[in-house]
Amino acid sequence: MWYVYIIESQDKDWTYVGVTDELKSRLQKHNRGEVQSTKHYRPFLLAAYVAVRDKKKAVALEKYFKTGSGRAILEKRILGSV
């Protein structure tokens, strides 16, 4: 399985969307500061994830969630912050 995941910083108002086939270890890497794009926003909590069988579809969903309309869907329907 492939996972499109959303993590939230515990200290700052910041979320990150990513894709992986190893969800638990990827979250640990984010929290250890091993991911360049997120290391300044640690620590993180897993806010949500979507499991997808196909890597290509997971990457496409990740890209969509990073667009304006995808971000709006994330916040309104999945994260519930609106």
Side-chain angles (χ1 to χ4, degrees), residues 59-74:
V59 170
L61 184 58
E62 175 200 22
K63 285 183 180 184
Y64 171 69
F65 282 153
K66 290 180 176 181
T67 67
S69 60
R71 179 63 71 170
I73 293 292
L74 261 181

Side-chain angles (χ1 to χ4, degrees), residues 13-56:
D13 184 25
W14 195 79
T15 59
Y16 177 83
V17 177
V19 66
T20 186
D21 62 342
E22 295 289 336
L23 187 58
K24 188 175 181 178
S25 64
R26 186 65 175 160
L27 179 60
Q28 290 171 344
K29 286 182 180 183
H30 282 291
N31 279 320
R32 286 193 302 256
E34 296 175 10
V35 180
Q36 184 68 31
S37 59
T38 63
K39 69 181 184 178
H40 299 291
Y41 300 95
R42 335 179 256 156
F44 292 99
L45 287 176
L46 181 64
Y49 68 90
V50 178
V52 181
R53 281 190 209 161
D54 183 64
K55 180 181 180 181
K56 213 174 196 181

